[in-house]
Structures are given as structure tokens and as C-alpha cells.
Amino acid sequence: MSTTQSERLRELLEPLVRSQGLDLEEIAVESVGRKRVLRVVVDSDEGADLDAVADVSRALSEKLDESDAMGDVEYTLEVGTPGAERALTEHRHYVRATDRLVGFRLREGGELTARILKVDDEGLDLEVPGVKGRKATSRRLAFEDIDRARVQVEFNRKNKSDEEIAEEA
């Protein structure tokens, strides 16, 4: 059974990323002319700030220089975090998206946009925004019913007031 370069890179780099307190979310190797680009996406439950990304980038660069994982071809290492409209593919992604608006494509057809309120092992408790002045409604969605999910960017979401936060406590 052969392993792909991405799998070998994951085996090499994931322990190092974890030692930095981050999760290795994605690895992609792309050819760009005669060079290659190695893109590494990292994240954590608290998010990854610029300093954490810089630290892990230096550590990954050193590890790659010590190994022959990228071969003899010139490459560029790019380390970053998931984009604002990240796809949710792992349980931890849904947990991290709690309180965020998410667009769902359902396995049996149809789409749904809702805010994640709570995540457990079986699925999600959601708040579906009301339409045309109607109140928001609650909905339960099992993981098995989700085909795809992607965080939505919200430009004008109102922050919770101090009173709302106190009521939740």
C-alpha cells in the first residue's frame, strides 16, 4: 500500500503542529511552474494568532529542511489559518463554529442557514433566523443529515448586550 506525499507530510508534520498547541487542518502540495507550493492550514479551539502561525511556520520549515519529504525540487512553504468561510468537516470544526451562522446543504436535498447554538456527539442545536419579521425558531440537525456545511460571513451582526450575557450565565 503506497502513501501519497500529502499523507507522508501529514505523518511528519502533525506531531510538530500538535506540540505547538495547534491542529493540522489541511496540507496541499501544488505545482506552480517549476516550483511547488506546500500549503499548511492550522487552527485551534482558541484560534491561531499571527505569532502562533509564525512560530509553527519556523518549526515546520526546520523539520522539512531536515527531511527529504519535499524531494529536491524547490518549494515555498505557506502556513495559515482557515478562511472566514471555512468548510466544517470535523466535529471540532462545528464546536469552534458555535454561535456562528452556518450554511448547510442537506443530504436529502435543500439548504438551511442557521446559527449553531450547541454541539454534541449526535448533532447540532440550531437557531433558524426568522424571515420577514418572524421570530427565530429552534431546530435539531443530526450530523448524518448534513452533506456540507460552511461558516457564513456576517458583516452586521449585533453583539450581545451585557444584559443578554448575564441572563445566559
Side-chain angles (χ1 to χ4, degrees), residues 8-74:
R8 288 191 309 271
L9 285 166
R10 181 172 285 279
E11 288 174 11
L12 177 70
L13 302 179
E14 192 161 29
L16 184 57
V17 171
R18 287 201 182 279
S19 75
Q20 301 276 328
L22 299 170
D23 293 318
L24 180 59
E25 296 293 349
E26 185 180 324
I27 291 180
V29 180
E30 297 177 18
S31 294
V32 180
R34 294 182 182 183
K35 292 184 180 182
R36 289 186 296 168
V37 177
L38 171 59
R39 289 189 176 89
V40 178
V41 178
V42 298
D43 202 6
S44 77
D45 289 344
E46 297 78 33
D49 64 16
L50 191 57
D51 290 334
V53 171
D55 290 344
V56 79
S57 180
R58 280 190 290 277
L60 292 176
S61 181
E62 288 175 19
K63 186 73 164 181
L64 288 164
D65 288 347
E66 294 170 1
S67 76
D68 64 348
M70 291 299 292
D72 293 332
V73 179
E74 232 180 284

Side-chain angles (χ1 to χ4, degrees), residues 81-87 100-101 150-153:
T81 57
E85 293 185 356
R86 75 168 308 160
R100 302 281 310 269
L101 196 63
R150 185 173 299 278
V151 171
Q152 304 294 299
V153 174

Side-chain angles (χ1 to χ4, degrees), residues 122-140:
E122 287 81 40
L124 313 166
D125 289 337
L126 304 173
E127 178 185 71
V128 181
V131 180
K132 296 183 181 178
R134 294 188 178 137
K135 285 190 170 188
T137 57
S138 297
R139 178 170 177 178
R140 177 79 180 161

Side-chain angles (χ1 to χ4, degrees), residues 139-153:
R139 178 170 177 178
R140 177 79 180 161
L141 186 60
F143 287 120
E144 62 196 30
D145 296 335
I146 301 169
D147 183 41
R148 281 199 219 161
R150 185 173 299 278
V151 171
Q152 304 294 299
V153 174

